[in-house]
Amino acid sequence: MAFRGQRPAQSEEMCDAAAAVVAARQGMEQPLTAVAEAFEELARGMEADGGELRLAPFGDTCALVSVLFSSLGIAFKFAESEYVTKVNDLIGASKEYATLNDILDKDVENDSVKKQGSHSRNLRRVRLGLGLIKALFEQFLATEGGSLYDAATTAYGQVCAPFHSWAIRKAVGAGMYTLPSREQLIMRLNETDCSVQKEMRRYIDASSPIIEYIDNLFLSRNIVLDW
């Protein structure tokens, strides 16, 4: 049964998209390694397509990142929940739109880029999620032996805090105290102290051109990134 005001086909698409996220996360013995490899493949695909980023592989790759949020525990549950919802939407949209450019073009045409629930707005939120993980890894590597709390707090302050209300920032700040230790995170990712650094760098390097590409999609249309 569809929700009131929602077409059955839309409901089916969302169910299919949610199933895709679950499937993407299954069988990942080393989730960080799997995510890094997937983003390297995505970057290669974008280069092969002449710099165009196709929506279907983008959605499938981003679905894998949700397991990284899960590894951070309840502190990042807010981010995981919002991120997965937005990725689900983009996976569903890939049945109608071929590229990220296509969804921006359509929302610009309809003057709905920043509208709640639009594909472009959801793309912006997914990009922030990718950027949050990237910034966290950068801080993690920059403070060898430092706490995950410090790395996560700094990363959140850089990437997401400017766009969150005071109430959300306060809740996130309180949740940071529940983060796993540095050693616990490495164990959850099924890595060693050496391998986790290598795989984090792989994610940083592979995701950077994807993040830059998404930012440029908005900036090239004179849409500032202050939302």
Side-chain angles (χ1 to χ4, degrees):
M1 180 180 296
F3 292 107
R4 183 178 301 174
Q6 182 182 43
R7 296 194 302 270
Q10 290 178 317
S11 180
E12 290 173 6
E13 286 181 1
M14 288 302 295
C15 288
D16 289 344
V21 170
V22 172
R25 293 173 57 172
Q26 291 178 343
M28 296 172 64
E29 294 183 2
Q30 291 181 292
L32 177 54
T33 299
V35 170
E37 290 175 349
F39 271 90
E40 287 173 345
E41 180 64 27
L42 185 66
R44 285 192 292 268
M46 183 172 71
E47 184 176 352
D49 284 335
E52 189 80 82
L53 190 51
R54 302 189 70 79
L55 185 53
F58 173 76
D60 291 341
T61 300
C62 290
L64 299 175
V65 178
S66 62
V67 76
L68 300 182
F69 283 112
S70 294
S71 69
L72 296 168
I74 194 172
F76 275 72
K77 197 66 180 177
F78 78 97
E80 180 189 4
S81 178
E82 175 171 303
Y83 178 85
V84 168
T85 298
K86 281 21 176 190
V87 170
N88 282 346
D89 174 73
L90 296 179
I91 291 174
S94 68
K95 294 178 173 62
E96 182 178 356
Y97 302 96
T99 68
L100 272 63
N101 250 318
D102 291 341
I103 64 175
L104 260 295
D105 285 342
K106 188 64 174 179
D107 284 341
V108 167
E109 179 184 337
N110 294 333
D111 194 25
S112 59
V113 169
K114 298 183 181 181
K115 184 179 179 181
Q116 190 76 26
S118 75
H119 298 317
S120 295
R121 184 181 179 87
N122 289 340
L123 174 61
R124 172 70 179 146
R125 293 297 176 264
V126 169
R127 176 262 179 263
L128 290 177
L130 301 179
L132 178 59
I133 293 295
K134 175 176 175 285
L136 190 152
F137 286 173
E138 288 171 339
Q139 292 299 317
F140 187 95
L141 295 174
T143 57
E144 187 173 352
S147 71
L148 183 59
Y149 171 87
D150 290 339
T153 300
T154 300
Y156 173 76
Q158 291 176 346
V159 178
C160 296
F163 311 110
H164 285 169
S165 66
W166 175 84
I168 293 178
R169 294 197 304 271
K170 183 177 180 181
V172 171
M176 290 292 185
Y177 291 100
T178 68
L179 281 166
S181 67
R182 189 183 185 95
E183 293 72 22
Q184 287 172 332
L185 176 62
I186 293 173
M187 288 183 62
R188 291 180 183 183
L189 295 174
N190 199 21
E191 302 286 351
T192 66
D193 191 51
C194 291
S195 69
V196 77
Q197 296 182 47
K198 173 187 174 183
E199 300 306 329
M200 284 183 175
R201 289 192 183 94
R202 286 180 68 190
Y203 172 82
I204 292 169
D205 291 343
S207 66
S208 292
I210 305 299
I211 292 172
E212 181 180 0
Y213 175 84
I214 296 171
D215 285 349
N216 285 335
L217 285 180
F218 291 96
L219 294 173
S220 65
R221 293 168 170 82
N222 296 318
I223 302 170
V224 294
L225 304 177
D226 59 354
W227 52 287

